[in-house]
Amino acid sequence: MRMTSLFAALLGAGLLAHSPLGLAKGSLVFCSEGSPSGFDTAQYQSGTDNDVAEPLYNRLVEFERGATGVLPALATDWAISDDGLTYTFNLRPGVRFHSNAGFTPSREFDADDVLFTFNRMLDATHPFRMAYGTEFPYFTAMGMDKTIARVEKTGPLTVAFTLNHVDAAFIQNLAMSFASILSAEYAEHLLSRGTPSDISHKPIGTGPFVFSRYQKDAQIRYRGNPDYWAPEQVKLDQLVFSINPDPSVRIQKLRKGECQVGIHPRPADLEALRQDPNIDLIEKPAYNLGYIAYNTRHKPFDQLQVRQALDMAVDKQAIVKTVFQGAGEVAVNAMPPTQWSYDESIVDTPHDLEKAKAMLRDAGVKEGTEITLWAMPVQRPYNPDARLMAQMLQNDWGKLGLKVNIVSYEWGEYLKRAKDGEHDTILIGWTGDNGDPDNWLGTLYSCDAIGSHNHSMWCDPEYDALVRKAKGTSDREQRSELYRQAQQYLKQHVPITPVAHSTVSQPVSTRVKDYLVSPFGRTSFLDVGID
């Protein structure tokens, strides 16, 4: 074939788009499971929302690919004062924000962008926040609004965070999605145009990929960032998120080569995927928890006796066998066994229907009482089939004389309504974000987490005191002991029923190079290539 014919063939196949001749990087399609609520990681925090934002942004520090260690990113290094209350970050020079059809940055990333990113979350009167008309529930749920006293610019490329109290997990927290750095200049541009919400709908970051377009329930398109500050890590020209809520459709597309990375396969499909010569099935131990949350602000779930009765009526073994089909294990505690400080001494509540019936009668709950059980409309790593699990719980609790009505909504609406506490009981779960116990025991069950991730609406001052003390202690053994006490307290007061931890399985085409599964459930395409 002559060179001109070769060029024409490659151009026709789209292999030379956005690349110098002969240096095409290729395209990768990711079969994702749902549409995001938005691209503002401080406002939206589901796994789906984090996945779609991951290509776009950087943080001051970031987790090592496929691991839990923290590495420099937009900060090249940092120093911590002797009293543990001041963190000073030196920022990376020469980093540029993306452009879009309506905005081109006039300057490089600097300290002003860090101040904007955090001050809009810290200050309820911040002009952009007031115009945006939103809250930042994850930031609040983690108590960051109470932890950070102020953020100051000490030089063009230097910022200092002053804390109100010691936070042993502070650096890990800054590596999480909510701390993604946004452009202050872009925010000012949007504010002047009266369109502040475009910061979520037309996102701009410093990340390895640039947002191209989004079609709800269909696809999200990105292009490789030619100006990325670590250009050797951008190995794709095009990245496409193909949105497919149906897991069987995702698997079909993967096996046909229509996408190269899948997510959340059904347990029933795992063996066939293992046997497919064109697919690598990456399997990792669980760092997640699927659970039932009882809304303690709704009667009769405000009574401990009622929660205890429902808890002991759940046939966890049957659920793990039927829903997880061998790819999970029964959960006992409010966080997974892979988390340091996990209390192995805690014994699960025995499954006892007769005792549960008696407890409900003693609590004044009449036979035929109606309750709602919310079931997620999407697969998550901690729950491969929420609808089936809900039907099994409907049967378990029906044996107690309760009439259980299963409710579901579109994923974004489900999360929004859940945060408002509309449910009686709800199937939900969590994949750890940063490797620290507070990411479970504080983020999911503390008073501060009500309105974000505390779906039990449970607030107990004694429990909160334990968690706050643990977070403010630097010694790991002391922290572990306090967290063990917190786990025991949760087990006694039953705001949730832990159901299962799943094995995380991710199918990837053998054409994909250097894809690593994150222990935190993130889907990252940094440093990922395709043959």
Side-chain angles (χ1 to χ4, degrees):
M1 180 182 289
R2 292 186 303 169
M3 183 58 69
T4 51
S5 300
L6 174 62
F7 178 85
L10 291 174
L11 185 62
L15 295 179
L16 296 183
H18 308 290
S19 293
L21 177 61
L23 297 178
K25 297 179 181 179
S27 300
L28 185 147
V29 180
F30 168 52
C31 275
S32 66
E33 89 288 13
S35 294
S37 300
F39 294 85
D40 183 352
T41 58
Q43 185 180 356
Y44 304 111
Q45 276 293 316
S46 75
T48 301
D49 299 323
N50 285 342
D51 279 353
V52 302
E54 188 67 18
L56 300 171
Y57 301 111
N58 293 120
R59 292 157 286 279
L60 294 177
V61 295
E62 295 185 353
F63 293 111
E64 183 181 359
R65 287 202 322 128
T68 60
V70 175
L71 302 173
L74 291 181
T76 57
D77 55 76
W78 58 93
I80 307 172
S81 63
D82 291 340
D83 62 5
L85 295 178
T86 303
Y87 289 70
T88 302
F89 294 88
N90 294 314
L91 306 182
R92 187 176 300 278
V95 176
R96 293 196 65 82
F97 281 96
H98 307 157
S99 300
N100 62 23
F103 173 78
T104 300
S106 66
R107 62 168 177 82
E108 295 177 344
F109 156 76
D110 64 19
D112 290 331
D113 302 306
V114 180
L115 264 61
F116 165 73
T117 296
F118 287 93
N119 283 335
R120 72 171 186 142
M121 294 187 281
L122 280 169
D123 182 4
T125 65
H126 190 281
F128 189 87
R129 175 170 172 172
M130 294 181 72
Y132 195 3
T134 191
E135 299 297 321
F136 301 98
Y138 199 82
F139 187 77
T140 304
M142 296 184 66
M144 296 291 279
D145 56 330
K146 297 180 176 65
T147 297
I148 301 173
R150 59 188 178 276
V151 187
E152 297 171 296
K153 175 181 176 180
T154 56
L157 289 174
T158 314
V159 293
F161 288 74
T162 301
L163 310 187
N164 287 313
H165 51 79
V166 173
D167 182 349
F170 187 67
I171 288 294
Q172 284 88 344
N173 290 343
L174 292 188
M176 295 168 63
S177 293
F178 78 89
S180 296
I181 303 299
L182 304 182
S183 166
E185 187 183 15
Y186 184 47
E188 290 172 6
H189 169 77
L190 296 178
L191 201 55
S192 69
R193 293 170 57 89
T195 59
S197 63
D198 279 355
I199 207 161
S200 181
H201 306 310
K202 299 177 181 179
I204 279 179
T206 60
F209 294 90
V210 179
F211 177 80
S212 293
R213 66 179 183 271
Y214 166 43
Q215 182 181 354
K216 185 177 173 62
D217 298 331
Q219 65 175 224
I220 307 167
R221 301 188 73 91
Y222 309 84
R223 64 182 188 277
N225 180 5
D227 300 318
Y228 191 56
W229 52 269
E232 71 283 356
Q233 294 184 300
V234 184
K235 297 179 179 178
L236 297 168
D237 287 318
Q238 304 288 334
L239 175 63
V240 180
F241 279 41
S242 176
I243 300 168
N244 300 279
D246 187 333
S248 62
V249 172
R250 294 198 298 270
I251 294 302
Q252 288 172 14
K253 288 172 72 74
L254 182 68
R255 300 188 75 171
K256 290 179 180 178
E258 294 175 16
C259 62
Q260 290 77 47
V261 178
I263 194 169
H264 311 326
R266 297 177 304 178
D269 292 326
L270 294 179
E271 188 54 39
L273 289 170
R274 292 188 189 104
Q275 301 301 320
D276 193 318
N278 298 313
I279 292 174
D280 289 328
L281 184 66
I282 306 172
E283 297 181 273
K284 292 272 191 176
Y287 188 58
N288 59 37
L289 170 68
Y291 62 94
I292 308 160
Y294 304 106
N295 189 342
T296 57
R297 291 183 175 177
H298 285 195
K299 293 184 178 301
F301 310 101
D302 56 336
Q303 297 183 65
L304 173 59
Q305 197 169 356
V306 171
R307 302 196 300 272
Q308 289 173 326
L310 268 63
D311 178 71
M312 69 175 58
V314 176
D315 190 343
K316 295 183 187 180
Q317 294 286 355
I319 288 174
V320 168
K321 181 179 179 181
T322 304
V323 177
F324 292 84
Q325 297 186 31
E329 60 179 298
V330 167
V332 176
N333 283 358
M335 61 185 191
T338 47
Q339 174 63 65
W340 63 266
S341 80
Y342 180 86
D343 191 343
E344 296 182 356
S345 71
I346 293 177
V347 178
D348 208 8
T349 307
H351 179 59
D352 191 333
L353 287 175
E354 292 307 314
K355 185 176 180 180
K357 286 180 186 178
M359 291 176 74
L360 283 186
R361 285 196 302 269
D362 292 345
V365 179
K366 296 179 180 178
E367 189 165 343
T369 295
E370 292 192 33
I371 65 171
T372 60
L373 169 61
W374 287 26
M376 297 175 297
V378 296
Q379 277 188 298
R380 302 304 304 149
Y382 47 75
N383 193 332
D385 193 336
R387 184 75 186 183
L388 177 57
M389 188 183 292
Q391 290 168 348
M392 295 183 73
L393 291 170
Q394 185 181 49
N395 181 62
D396 289 341
W397 291 343
K399 294 174 182 176
L400 305 181
L402 297 173
K403 183 177 179 183
V404 181
N405 299 311
I406 298 173
V407 174
S408 193
Y409 297 95
E410 181 271 331
W411 187 219
E413 188 70 11
Y414 185 92
L415 293 173
K416 179 180 181 296
R417 288 173 178 263
K419 289 174 181 178
D420 292 338
E422 295 183 17
H423 56 284
D424 288 336
T425 64
I426 186 170
L427 292 178
I428 199 70
W430 191 251
T431 297
D433 278 330
N434 68 8
D436 193 88
D438 185 74
N439 188 237
W440 300 90
L441 302 179
T443 301
L444 301 183
Y445 317 115
S446 69
C447 298
D448 284 340
I450 291 175
S452 57
H453 297 292
N454 183 345
H455 297 297
S456 300
M457 307 291 165
W458 179 73
C459 178
D460 189 298
E462 188 173 340
Y463 173 82
D464 260 34
L466 280 171
V467 174
R468 280 198 304 270
K469 186 176 179 181
K471 192 176 181 183
T473 303
S474 298
D475 183 87
R476 178 175 281 206
E477 195 47 54
Q478 292 179 24
R479 292 187 76 201
S480 293
E481 175 54 33
L482 290 166
Y483 285 133
R484 284 190 286 267
Q485 292 177 35
Q487 290 167 71
Q488 292 164 9
Y489 198 93
L490 279 169
K491 196 67 177 176
Q492 293 162 9
H493 290 78
V494 202
I496 70 161
T497 291
V499 178
H501 311 292
S502 75
T503 300
V504 175
S505 302
Q506 189 150 21
V508 178
S509 166
T510 54
R511 295 177 55 212
V512 176
K513 306 302 178 186
D514 299 323
Y515 185 87
L516 299 178
V517 173
S518 163
F520 306 127
R522 292 184 178 185
T523 302
S524 172
F525 294 97
L526 186 69
D527 243 344
V528 174
I530 190 161
D531 186 359

